[in-house]
Amino acid sequence: MTEPLSFEKSRRSASPPRLPEADVAGPEPSQILAPDQLRTNPPGLPRLSEPEIMRHYSRLASMNYSISKQFYPLGSCTMKYNPVVNETAAALPGFADLHPYQDEDTVQGALDLMWRLERALCAVVGVERVTLQPAAGAHGEWTALRMIQAYHHSRGDTRTEVLVPDSAHGTNPASAALSGFHVVEVKSGRDGRISLADLESKLSPKVAALMLTNPNTLGLFEREILDIAEMVHATGAMLYYDGANLNAFMGICRPGDMGFDAVHMNLHKTFTTPHGGGGPGAGPVGVKADLVPFLPTPTVERTNGHLKLDFKRPRSIGRVRSFYGNFGMLVRAYAYIVAMGGDGLAQASRDAVLSANYLRKQVEDDLEMPHDGPCMHEFVASAHNLAGDGVRALDVAKALLDRDFYAPTVYFPLVVQEAIMVEPTETESKATLDAFAAAIKEIVAEARSNPQALHDAPRNLPVGRLDEVAAARRINAYLQGQSEDPVLRWKPAQK
Ligand SMILES: *Cc1c(COP(=O)(O)O)cnc(C)c1O
């Protein structure tokens, strides 16, 4: 099954699209643009009839794999069901048709939603204030590190290092480096948790912050978090919480109470706003009182029921995103929180942890489990036990695609060989978890009986196994000027 590009299917004789009359009054382009700015030929757009266009996009959509079609057990990414009611809320004309330059008095409802969402997120993570501006988790990390940097500078303290555990998400060291910090790695112990001895040896007055994920990316709770917080604060550094995945914790415990000073949250993971495909996300950052003066401008303030945007914040790190963040995502997340209520959020977390432990138990005899359970909302297995048959984590992932499941995260975290990281989430039924476990068992049996079949997977999808080695070689050769540029996009035939 393939689908040619609309450009390739284009027919000159197709009737032109029926466009509505322009509703913008004013002069014609030819009256305001210089002659050399006017195009002489029509743009080379594809020309197809309305039904042809409809079928083209429907066929493309049917090749797409998404959470609305099947199970998507991607570890460290929380692909949970996105309630449709969120979309209805975000599409309300009073939200969807706003203009960011509208007068404050005409957008009181939108500001009120932002104010309420901020309060709700403060309650979930236990902080003083939250900025809703950052557009992704990584952007939130960077925003928080800039605030931490500004805080140290304001005290005449120049700190140059940020500590990051070896199990951390790759965005952690990247955000620290992008903020101009020197990244120092902290080792994990044998139990998959941060080594306190290694942490102690790396703490010094040069350290601005420790970035920690808890539960960490192995799905394990850092039990010694209170001691860690004390050690970090004793050296004058701050403790940063990577809260991209809050799915184990909502309504159960709070980073703020564990001693964290700043935390980012991914609305597009925990709070059911759509995720992936490079679409808009939202990575709000919560901070304790010491960091509040440094929050990005503007903040939303409420006095006597009247809401306003506060741009006069002299110690702010400034704006980190145009306008007020990805507002549509804020509406969706708020709709989710209100629909769930506090008890609902706590139940979602309990169910997420139960699902992960149930599934872990189902497959513990099939794959290696490098760390002892129980786990939190996700677990990390290893395909190392299949290495003798020449089968790797990648083969298991591709074989799952043929069985109509999305592949789990593989080869992350880096501290586990042949890692397969699974996060089922609370929105899956027991039947789905059982079917997934059955697929894993079938694949492991096939690894013993017919490993070549796994190397050939996927066979039932529009695109089969890609030759990643050849691709990497060609890109390298191109970068070194030894070959033509690789063909990565369609180009029109020269006329
Ligand atoms: C997803 C994730 C991030 C980054 O979030 P983005 O929105 O993809 O930038 C950071 N840390 C962890 C642990 C994550 O799972």
Side-chain angles (χ1 to χ4, degrees), residues 113-313:
L113 181 136
M114 292 171 76
W115 191 85
R116 286 164 188 258
L117 177 62
E118 180 182 341
R119 300 279 107 43
L121 295 175
C122 283
V124 171
V125 295
V127 293
E128 188 86 10
R129 295 283 320 245
V130 166
T131 172
L132 303 170
Q133 267 185 43
H139 193 195
E141 293 168 24
W142 177 84
T143 301
L145 287 170
R146 296 312 299 250
M147 285 191 260
I148 290 173
Q149 203 166 37
Y151 164 81
H152 289 308
H153 279 170
S154 74
R155 295 153 53 93
D157 196 353
T158 318
R159 292 174 177 247
T160 52
E161 290 177 359
V162 165
L163 305 186
V164 180
D166 55 8
S167 65
H169 197 271
T171 50
N172 290 188
S175 303
L178 205 61
S179 309
F181 288 110
H182 182 59
V183 180
V184 179
E185 189 174 280
V186 183
K187 292 201 169 32
S188 300
R190 294 174 65 92
D191 65 350
R193 294 173 173 90
I194 189 172
S195 155
L196 260 59
D198 198 52
L199 173 62
E200 179 139 48
S201 74
K202 288 174 181 162
L203 276 170
S204 79
K206 283 193 286 189
V207 175
L210 166 68
M211 300 180 83
L212 209 64
T213 310
N214 193 19
N216 67 23
T217 59
L218 295 164
L220 304 172
F221 183 68
E222 296 284 359
R223 296 188 199 113
E224 289 169 297
I225 184 60
L226 297 179
D227 294 334
I228 294 171
E230 208 175 299
M231 286 164 67
V232 169
H233 289 149
T235 63
M238 287 209 152
L239 194 56
Y240 177 77
Y241 184 90
D242 178 338
N245 308 286
L246 284 170
N247 225 30
F249 272 19
M250 290 183 295
I252 292 172
C253 61
R254 312 192 303 174
D257 301 334
M258 294 177 212
F260 285 92
D261 303 289
V263 39
H264 91 261
M265 298 153 253
N266 279 19
L267 300 188
H268 48 290
K269 289 179 182 168
T270 315
F271 297 96
T272 69
T273 76
H275 179 179
V285 175
V287 292
K288 291 268 190 67
D290 281 347
L291 291 173
V292 168
F294 306 99
L295 282 168
T297 48
T299 54
V300 180
E301 306 295 338
R302 180 159 118 159
T303 26
N304 303 328
H306 185 82
L307 292 127
K308 67 186 264 298
L309 290 163
D310 182 9
F311 290 89
K312 293 199 200 74
R313 302 182 61 83

Side-chain angles (χ1 to χ4, degrees), residues 311-333:
F311 290 89
K312 293 199 200 74
R313 302 182 61 83
R315 299 165 79 194
S316 163
I317 60 165
R319 212 186 249 291
V320 298
R321 179 76 170 77
S322 54
F323 301 116
Y324 318 109
N326 285 328
F327 180 71
M329 294 299 123
L330 309 183
V331 178
R332 288 171 176 86

Side-chain angles (χ1 to χ4, degrees), residues 65 67 70-80 359 377-379 400-401 404-410 420-425 428 432-433 436 440:
Y65 193 101
I67 188 68
Q70 249 293 24
F71 185 34
Y72 211 122
L74 205 58
S76 193
C77 261
T78 312
M79 298 296 290
K80 62 166 84 170
L359 191 52
H377 62 295
E378 59 192 350
F379 66 89
L400 280 166
L401 302 182
D404 209 17
F405 291 107
Y406 198 80
T409 300
V410 288
I420 298 183
M421 184 185 205
V422 182
E423 180 180 357
T425 85
E428 297 301 331
T432 301
L433 303 183
F436 181 78
I440 292 278

Side-chain angles (χ1 to χ4, degrees), residues 21 48 77 140 177 196 237 269 322 354 396 409 415 429 437 439 453 455:
E21 286 292 312
L48 293 161
C77 261
L196 260 59
K269 289 179 182 168
S322 54
L354 179 62
V396 176
T409 300
V415 288
S429 68
H455 300 318

